[in-house]
């Protein structure tokens, strides 16, 4: 029930990256000439730097001297920092532009030896509510080592005699400490002795994740190492079991003896009979299932799991229940099988369903009523919110956890005790403005997003729309007739472009790819500079092309440039796949590609007079709404395509290409890598390597197996508390960061109460039931609430449907109709009183 870890990496250990965060980068709005030269961030962007960080500048105009120099930062505010004295003659007046980039410098760390640390321990604080616990455990573990040295065994299970000896040894050791404790926590030391021969799998899993990460730090120098002791405990569980008989903890000769020594037989039986519903079988889900199998959860109950995803290659490095032979198999099925290999007695039912309104027939209120607890092992906020609402409705505990690289969190949600998941506001995720991605990229992420959008548009969305158009409208002849009849067909503009440019041979694929290079990386830049010359000024007199806007540089195609050549080759290859054009690997040889490309005729650039969007609030337009003015030209084009055989009565379907980030041979990442880096060159933005491109384009959430193990272990400890019906003060939410390392435990916030009237309080968990009959009218319902709860109902709603709002036309009449006539829907609704009270009720 208790664990410890110690680190000593020597006198001069070098840490190359103290926190694992990407180097911070901010655009500069101003740099003052002063004794404390203050750098202000553009548009009040938070710099997220810390005092002592080192930065360098580039692209600063005016105060050019700072470019390429290193400065130590002193934080002035979230939006400004100082870089020292900038009054010297070399510091000219700042004019415009500039990017400040954090430099991560190696840091040297000195450790004390184990011998020294035994008497003067440096202990990482974890739980501020139990500050003395770690110091007691330090003495306790030393006392256990002394006990083992003297008696050549560990203390016997629940043996008061052995526990007294351990406490006595701890008292002697306390006197040798440089800062001895005033009083020992004998109850804690007794529990340590009682469970010394036991094994509590969740704590072992959590500590194993931490220690594994420390081992990686020792080898790689990445992340800050533990300084120098860490103690973890699950002592809250032992307080729940104080009335258990000692015989309950004794071995039975089965696989659960180690667990039984920690929590007793009654708790083991409670875990075995549990019914659990877990949503998600990814990284955390796999670790959770491992813990469940080791705890014997559900051997007399049932573990229900669901995950609609299939296993991908990129999952294998952190979702440890999966192997290469499992790729493209359902995660839930494989995870269930692997967990049952760990413990064949565990009962698991695996499904491949999404959770949401569309699957509420499967995961109904009746299904939730059978569960003892619900577990979120999810990777998105939307589903978390949905599961939270279902648990609140059905009065079920929910355990939520997640990871992001070295960071992780655990939140415990218990009916009538804690707030729910949605009680706290999640940070708003801001999308990159459409005009930024399309015309004014400023950072690498913008160029990669643009390339990903181009991939989706050219190779997936347009072919899908093309296929849908013909399946909806029939043969080319029928489409031509509809156009002659004056009908306006949706997606006609896209169809016309596809028919006009549709390649039919490998050479035509190469021609189209080469023209796309010219369009994307030359003509686009010229059109922007034509619309906004370099000396363009805004209404306030400032330059249009100033940070963060960067003027593009038109690229001239060079067949000797590998990036230019590879873009054309991979684009041609993907076009061939979409348009069902035969090709082979020989066609991609550089000499053959160069010969084909050299024959392409490129039209000279002509200024485009399309409006270039500069408003960041404008969303991406819907391509299906594009209108075509000259229908006669369209009709002529389609008739010519039919006559020449390019369009036949049975139009061949195109093959949409679905983006797949994990294949090294399909060309998808190759396209995004070459396209994004060409765009980066065009805008003078730092290029990204292939790994970064894959991470951003594939929207890969950073995940580390060590963090996942630690989070799953700590979450499983809370699960045991829930199943043992622990009081509020024993639960622990946790935020951790193994890179620092840091652990922050906190007691879950209690659910807030709302006073409706004198003596009537409600929380989000309260559920009022009003029993009616088949002819129960809304008026009777309102009278029942008034009589039973002394409340006048001001509004009745169900979801977004307003059932009864007296000020709305016709609603007063509903009060005198049978309920089933007034509102046709589920037999539940929300009641809203005069104090904005909204809760769910059921009519039975």
């Amino acid at each position: 029930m208790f664990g410890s870890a110690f680190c000593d990496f020597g006198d001069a250990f070098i840490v190359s990256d103290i926190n694992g965060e990407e180097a911070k980068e901010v655009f500069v709005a101003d740099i003052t000439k002063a004794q404390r030269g203050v750098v202000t961030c553009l548009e009040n962007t938070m710099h997220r730097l810390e005092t002592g960080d080192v930065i360098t500048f580039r692209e600063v105009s005016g105060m050019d001297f700072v470019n390429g120099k290193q400065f130590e930062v002193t934080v002035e505010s979230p939006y400004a920092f100082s870089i020292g004295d900038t009054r010297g003659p070399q510091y000219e007046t700042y004019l415009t532009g500039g990017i400040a980039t954090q430099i991560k410098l190696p840091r040297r760390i000195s450790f004390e030896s184990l011998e020294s640390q035994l008497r003067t321990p440096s202990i990482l604080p974890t739980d501020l509510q139990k500050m003395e616990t770690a110091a007691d455990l330090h003495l306790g573990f030393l006392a256990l080592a002394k006990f083992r040295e003297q008696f050549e065994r560990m203390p016997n299970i629940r043996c008061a005699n052995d526990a007294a000896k351990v406490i006595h040894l701890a008292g002697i050791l306390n006197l040798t400490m440089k800062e001895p404790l005033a009083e020992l926590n004998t109850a804690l030391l007794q529990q340590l002795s009682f469970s010394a021969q036991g094994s509590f799998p969740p704590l072992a899993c959590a500590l194993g994740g931490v220690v594994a990460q420390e081992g990686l730090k020792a080898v790689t120098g990445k992340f800050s190492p533990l300084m120098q002791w860490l103690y973890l405990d699950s002592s809250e569980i032992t307080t729940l079991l104080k009335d258990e008989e000692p015989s309950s903890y004794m071995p039975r000769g089965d696989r659960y003896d180690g667990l039984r020594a920690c929590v007793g037989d009654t708790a083991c039986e409670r875990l075995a009979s549990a019914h659990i519903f877990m949503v998600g079988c990814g990284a955390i889900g796999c670790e959770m299932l491992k813990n469940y199998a080791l705890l014997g959860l559900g051997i007399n109950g049932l573990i229900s799991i669901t995950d609609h995803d299939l296993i991908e290659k990129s999952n294998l490095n952190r979702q440890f229940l999966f192997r290469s032979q499992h790729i493209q198999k359902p995660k839930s099925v494989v995870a269930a099988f692997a967990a049952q290999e760990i413990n064949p007695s565990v009962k698991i039912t695996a499904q491949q369903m999404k959770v949401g309104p569309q699957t509420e027939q499967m995961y109904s209120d009746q299904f939730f009523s059978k569960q003892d607890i619900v577990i979120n092992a999810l990777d998105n906020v939307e589903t978390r919110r949905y599961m939270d609402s279902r648990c609140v409705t059905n009065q079920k505990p929910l355990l939520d956890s997640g990871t992001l690289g070295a960071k992780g969190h655990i939140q415990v949600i218990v009916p009538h005790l804690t707030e729910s998941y949605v009680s706290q506001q999640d940070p708003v995720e801001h999308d990159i403005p459409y005009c930024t991605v399309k015309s004014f990229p400023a950072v690498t992420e913008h160029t990669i997003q643009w390339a990903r959008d181009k991939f989706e548009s050219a190779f997936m969305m347009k072919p899908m729309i093309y296929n849908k158009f013909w399946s909806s409208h029939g043969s080319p002849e029928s489409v031509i007739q509809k156009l002659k009849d004056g009908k306006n067909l949706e997606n006609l503009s896209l169809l016309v472009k596809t028919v006009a440019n549709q390649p039919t041979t490998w050479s035509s694929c190469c021609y189209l790819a080469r023209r796309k290079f010219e369009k994307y990386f030359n003509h686009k830049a010229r059109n922007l500079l034509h619309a906004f010359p370099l000396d363009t000024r805004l209404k306030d007199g400032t330059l249009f092309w100033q940070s963060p806007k960067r003027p593009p540089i038109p690229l001239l195609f060079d067949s000797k440039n590998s990036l230019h050549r590879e873009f054309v080759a991979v684009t041609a290859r993907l076009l061939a796949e979409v348009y069902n054009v035969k090709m082979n690997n020989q066609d991609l040889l550089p000499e053959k590609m160069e010969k084909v490309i050299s024959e392409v005729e490129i039209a000279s650039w002509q200024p485009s007079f399309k409006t270039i969007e500069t408003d960041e609030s404008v969303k991406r337009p819907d391509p299906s709404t594009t209108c075509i003015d000259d229908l006669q030209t369209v009709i002529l084009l389609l008739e010519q395509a039919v006559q020449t055989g390019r369009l036949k009565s049975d139009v061949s379907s195109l093959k949409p290409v679905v983006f797949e980030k994990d294949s090294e041979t399909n060309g998808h990442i190759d396209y995004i890598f070459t396209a994004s880096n060409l765009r980066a060159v065009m805008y003078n933005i730092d290029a990204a390597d292939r790994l970064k491109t894959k991470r951003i384009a594939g929207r890969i959430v950073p995940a580390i197996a060590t963090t996942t193990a630690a989070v799953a272990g700590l979450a499983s400890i809370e699960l045991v508390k829930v199943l043992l019906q622990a009081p509020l003060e024993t639960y622990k939410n946790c935020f951790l960061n193994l890179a620092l390392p840091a652990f922050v435990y906190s007691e879950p916030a209690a659910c807030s109460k709302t006073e409706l009237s004198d003596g009537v309080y409600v929380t989000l968990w309260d559920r009022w039931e009003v029993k009616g009959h088949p002819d129960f009218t809304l008026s009777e319902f309102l009278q029942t609430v008034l009589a039973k709860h002394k409340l006048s109902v001001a509004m009745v709603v169900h979801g977004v449907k307003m059932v009864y709002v007296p000020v709305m036309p016709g609603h007063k009449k509903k009060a005198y109709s049978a309920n089933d006539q007034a509102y046709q829907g589920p037999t539940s609704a929300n009641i809203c009183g005069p104090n904005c009270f909204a809760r769910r009720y059921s009519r039975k």
Side-chain angles (χ1 to χ4, degrees):
M1 303 296 283
F2 307 88
S4 72
F6 172 77
C7 285
D8 175 12
F9 297 165
D11 294 332
F13 183 74
I14 303 299
V15 178
S16 60
D17 183 353
I18 62 169
N19 57 19
E21 302 288 341
E22 287 199 22
K24 299 173 180 67
E25 194 170 82
V26 292
F27 290 98
V28 175
D30 185 43
I31 307 175
T32 63
K33 279 178 67 69
Q35 186 176 356
R36 292 167 64 88
V38 175
V39 180
T40 305
C41 300
L42 187 69
E43 297 175 352
N44 278 337
T45 304
M46 295 179 67
H47 52 69
R48 297 174 294 122
L49 295 168
E50 297 177 6
T51 296
D53 285 345
V54 177
I55 62 160
T56 186
F57 293 95
R58 69 178 191 274
E59 301 179 20
V60 173
S61 177
M63 197 179 286
D64 296 52
F65 180 77
V66 300
N67 289 325
K69 303 293 190 301
Q70 293 184 9
F71 299 88
E72 187 171 311
V73 165
T74 301
V75 173
E76 302 290 339
S77 76
Y79 314 103
F81 55 88
S82 59
I83 57 174
D85 195 340
T86 56
R87 294 175 298 175
Q90 68 272 36
Y91 295 98
E92 298 181 13
T93 303
Y94 172 85
L95 293 178
T96 186
I99 300 172
T101 304
Q102 181 187 17
I103 298 176
K104 294 206 165 188
L105 299 177
R107 184 173 297 182
R108 177 174 172 169
I109 297 178
S110 179
F111 289 81
E112 292 184 4
S113 66
L114 175 61
E115 182 180 10
S116 173
Q117 279 284 304
L118 288 176
R119 291 186 63 249
T120 57
S122 299
I123 302 175
L124 178 71
T126 55
D127 191 342
L128 300 180
Q129 293 178 317
K130 302 189 302 182
M131 288 297 291
E132 297 297 327
T133 298
D136 281 298
L137 287 177
H138 181 73
L139 291 170
F141 273 94
L142 295 182
L144 283 179
K146 285 289 184 182
F147 184 98
R148 187 170 187 173
E149 184 181 345
Q150 288 184 19
F151 300 101
E152 298 183 348
R153 63 176 175 83
M154 295 298 280
N156 287 323
I157 299 170
R158 311 303 291 185
C159 178
N161 235 1
D162 284 354
K165 293 175 183 177
V166 170
I167 293 170
H168 176 70
L169 289 170
I172 296 173
L173 289 166
N174 186 39
L175 298 176
T176 68
M177 294 291 115
K178 188 173 181 179
E179 296 181 5
L181 296 177
E183 185 180 358
L184 295 181
N185 186 338
T186 55
L188 183 72
L189 295 175
Q190 184 184 58
Q191 292 300 326
L192 176 66
S193 175
F194 282 174
S195 61
Q197 289 193 26
S199 174
F200 191 46
L203 186 66
C205 178
L207 192 63
V210 175
V211 172
Q213 189 62 61
E214 295 304 311
L216 291 172
K217 293 175 186 179
V219 174
T220 64
K222 188 175 177 67
F223 302 160
S224 298
L226 171 65
M227 299 295 292
Q228 288 186 253
W229 292 93
L230 170 69
Y231 289 97
L232 297 178
D233 72 276
S234 45
S235 56
E236 292 82 10
I237 293 178
T238 63
T239 63
L240 304 174
L241 308 169
K242 57 186 178 183
D243 296 331
E244 285 288 299
E245 292 294 327
S247 59
S248 175
Y249 296 86
M250 297 305 161
R252 303 285 194 274
D254 59 24
R255 66 179 294 159
Y256 305 110
D257 280 347
L259 174 65
R260 188 175 289 109
C262 295
V263 301
D265 199 52
T266 303
C268 286
E269 290 176 0
R270 177 67 189 95
L271 298 178
S273 63
H275 285 73
I276 297 170
F277 179 38
M278 186 175 77
V279 184
C281 297
I284 290 180
C286 285
E287 284 286 348
M288 290 286 198
L289 282 174
K290 177 196 72 177
N291 280 284
Y292 301 163
L294 295 175
L295 285 168
L297 279 170
I299 59 175
N300 298 323
L302 181 66
I303 300 174
S304 302
I305 60 176
T306 186
D307 194 314
H308 68 282
D309 277 347
L310 301 179
I311 297 167
E312 300 178 359
K313 185 178 179 180
S314 62
N315 300 148
L316 302 184
N317 72 330
R318 62 191 184 279
Q319 300 177 15
F320 81 106
L321 295 183
F322 306 146
R323 299 293 182 268
S324 56
Q325 65 267 26
H326 298 142
I327 292 174
Q328 290 304 300
K329 292 183 179 179
K331 285 185 177 181
S332 58
V333 174
V334 175
F337 179 79
Q340 288 172 326
E341 284 193 319
I342 296 173
N343 186 347
S345 299
V346 173
K347 296 176 183 176
I348 305 176
T349 176
Q351 294 162 339
Q352 297 88 55
M353 306 284 286
K354 274 187 175 182
V355 290
Q358 67 276 16
T359 56
E360 285 188 4
Q361 286 189 333
M362 169 73 72
Y363 304 118
S364 60
D365 289 353
Q366 184 180 6
F367 172 83
F368 274 88
S369 69
K370 298 176 183 178
Q371 310 306 319
D372 295 308
I373 187 171
V374 177
I375 313 295
N376 278 351
L378 297 161
D379 60 0
N380 68 88
V381 171
E382 182 182 356
T383 310
R384 280 185 166 101
R385 287 176 171 274
Y386 173 78
M387 290 303 299
D388 180 73
S389 70
R390 297 291 285 135
C391 288
V392 170
T393 297
N394 291 281
Q395 312 279 288
K396 293 299 176 182
L398 174 65
L399 196 59
D400 185 77
S401 57
T403 68
L404 182 66
K407 302 171 188 174
H409 83 272
I410 300 100
Q411 182 180 2
V412 190
I413 299 161
V414 183
H416 304 288
L417 293 182
T418 73
E419 63 184 11
S420 73
Y421 179 84
V422 299
S423 298
Q424 297 294 326
Q425 187 68 38
D426 291 297
V428 178
E429 296 184 4
H430 297 286
D431 292 331
I432 305 171
Y434 168 68
C435 70
T436 299
V437 174
K438 184 173 177 61
S439 303
F440 307 109
V443 294
T444 305
E445 286 77 7
H446 298 166
T447 64
I448 294 174
Q449 183 62 54
W450 174 86
R452 172 69 193 265
D453 290 348
K454 286 297 180 188
F455 181 97
E456 297 281 355
S457 173
F459 308 123
M460 187 180 78
M461 295 306 300
K462 288 181 180 178
M464 288 175 64
I465 293 171
Y466 179 88
N467 291 343
K468 184 180 178 181
F469 181 92
W470 290 116
S471 64
S472 301
H473 298 292
S475 67
E477 291 82 4
S478 65
V479 168
I480 292 170
Q481 188 57 51
K482 290 176 183 178
L483 294 177
K484 288 181 177 179
D485 294 340
K487 292 184 179 179
N488 188 19
L489 305 182
E490 190 178 32
N491 293 313
L492 184 61
S493 175
L494 186 146
L495 171 80
V496 170
K497 290 179 181 178
T498 304
V499 171
N501 298 312
Q502 184 168 356
T504 56
T505 64
W506 171 246
S507 295
S508 57
C509 289
C510 294
Y511 295 165
L512 184 55
R514 172 64 183 88
R515 286 195 286 269
K516 283 185 179 293
F517 179 99
E518 204 70 15
K519 175 184 176 182
Y520 294 160
F521 309 116
N522 184 284
H523 292 181
K524 174 67 175 178
R526 293 189 180 204
N527 285 330
L528 274 169
L529 295 174
H530 178 261
F532 305 106
L534 294 177
D535 58 355
T536 301
R537 292 187 177 272
L538 301 174
K539 291 180 180 179
D540 61 3
T542 58
L543 286 169
F544 178 85
W545 293 109
Q546 63 174 333
S547 183
K549 286 188 174 70
R550 313 166 76 91
I553 304 168
L555 301 186
L556 298 177
F557 182 79
D558 180 1
S559 61
K560 303 299 182 186
N561 185 309
S562 60
L563 195 61
H564 294 200
R565 189 174 61 248
E566 287 169 13
F567 171 81
V568 174
V570 71
T571 303
R573 174 187 166 189
L574 290 169
L575 288 170
E577 185 176 350
V578 168
Y579 290 99
N580 301 300
V581 175
K582 293 182 179 179
M583 53 85 62
N584 56 58
N585 291 334
Q586 295 295 315
D587 293 325
L588 295 171
L589 293 174
E591 56 272 18
K592 288 193 174 184
M593 286 296 303
E594 186 169 353
K595 182 178 183 301
V596 174
I597 294 171
S598 64
E599 298 172 356
V600 180
E601 293 185 6
I602 301 297
S604 60
W605 170 72
Q606 297 294 328
S608 171
F609 295 98
K610 288 183 179 179
T611 301
I612 296 176
E613 188 58 67
T614 60
D615 185 350
E616 293 187 356
S617 64
V618 173
K619 303 297 183 183
R620 184 187 304 275
D622 184 355
S624 66
T625 60
T626 305
C627 298
I628 293 181
D629 296 328
D630 191 356
L631 283 180
Q632 291 304 317
T633 303
V634 173
I635 294 170
L636 182 61
L637 174 67
L638 293 177
E639 287 177 338
Q640 289 176 347
V642 171
Q643 292 170 5
T644 57
R646 285 167 55 203
L647 272 181
K648 298 180 180 178
S649 295
D650 52 339
V651 180
S652 298
S653 295
L654 303 185
K655 180 184 176 184
V657 176
V658 179
F659 178 71
E660 171 52 62
K661 64 183 181 297
D662 292 320
S663 173
E664 297 297 327
T665 59
N666 62 11
H668 299 186
I669 293 297
D670 294 329
Y671 175 86
I672 294 173
F673 174 73
T674 55
S676 63
N677 281 339
L678 283 168
R679 190 165 175 84
V681 172
M682 174 177 154
Y683 280 94
N684 195 24
I685 297 172
D686 291 339
D689 59 32
R690 186 181 177 85
L691 187 61
K692 182 176 182 178
T693 302
K694 181 176 180 178
R695 177 174 61 81
I696 295 174
R699 301 182 177 97
I700 298 173
V701 178
I704 304 176
T706 51
T707 312
T708 306
V711 166
L714 295 175
S716 296
I717 292 174
E718 300 309 309
L719 178 145
V720 173
K721 295 178 188 177
V722 172
L723 293 178
L724 295 179
Q725 298 182 335
L728 175 64
E729 61 271 14
T730 62
Y731 293 110
K732 298 293 179 185
N733 288 345
C734 180
F735 292 90
L736 61 87
N737 188 338
L738 296 188
L740 299 179
F743 292 79
V744 180
Y745 288 102
S746 63
E747 183 180 306
C751 53
S752 61
K753 294 182 178 180
T754 301
E755 184 177 6
L756 296 185
S757 62
D758 293 340
V760 180
Y761 292 88
V762 293
T763 73
L764 66 99
W765 296 102
D766 287 318
R767 176 177 176 138
W768 293 351
E769 293 185 353
V770 178
K771 296 184 178 181
H773 50 78
D775 298 322
F776 197 54
T777 64
L778 187 56
S779 176
E780 288 178 282
F781 165 71
L782 301 178
Q783 291 299 321
T784 302
V785 174
L786 180 61
K788 187 174 182 181
H789 301 291
K790 304 296 187 292
L791 293 172
S792 296
V793 178
M795 180 185 298
V796 179
V797 301
H798 178 268
V800 296
K801 296 180 182 295
M802 292 186 292
V803 180
Y804 173 67
V805 185
V807 297
M808 296 290 289
H811 276 228
K812 284 189 176 181
K813 294 180 179 179
K814 290 185 178 182
Y816 304 100
S817 306
N819 235 358
D820 289 335
Q821 295 171 350
Y823 172 67
Q824 298 296 325
T827 57
S828 60
N830 292 329
I831 310 172
C832 297
N835 294 306
C836 299
F837 166 54
R839 293 293 176 264
R840 189 179 167 98
Y841 80 96
S842 293
R843 188 182 77 245
K844 295 183 179 179

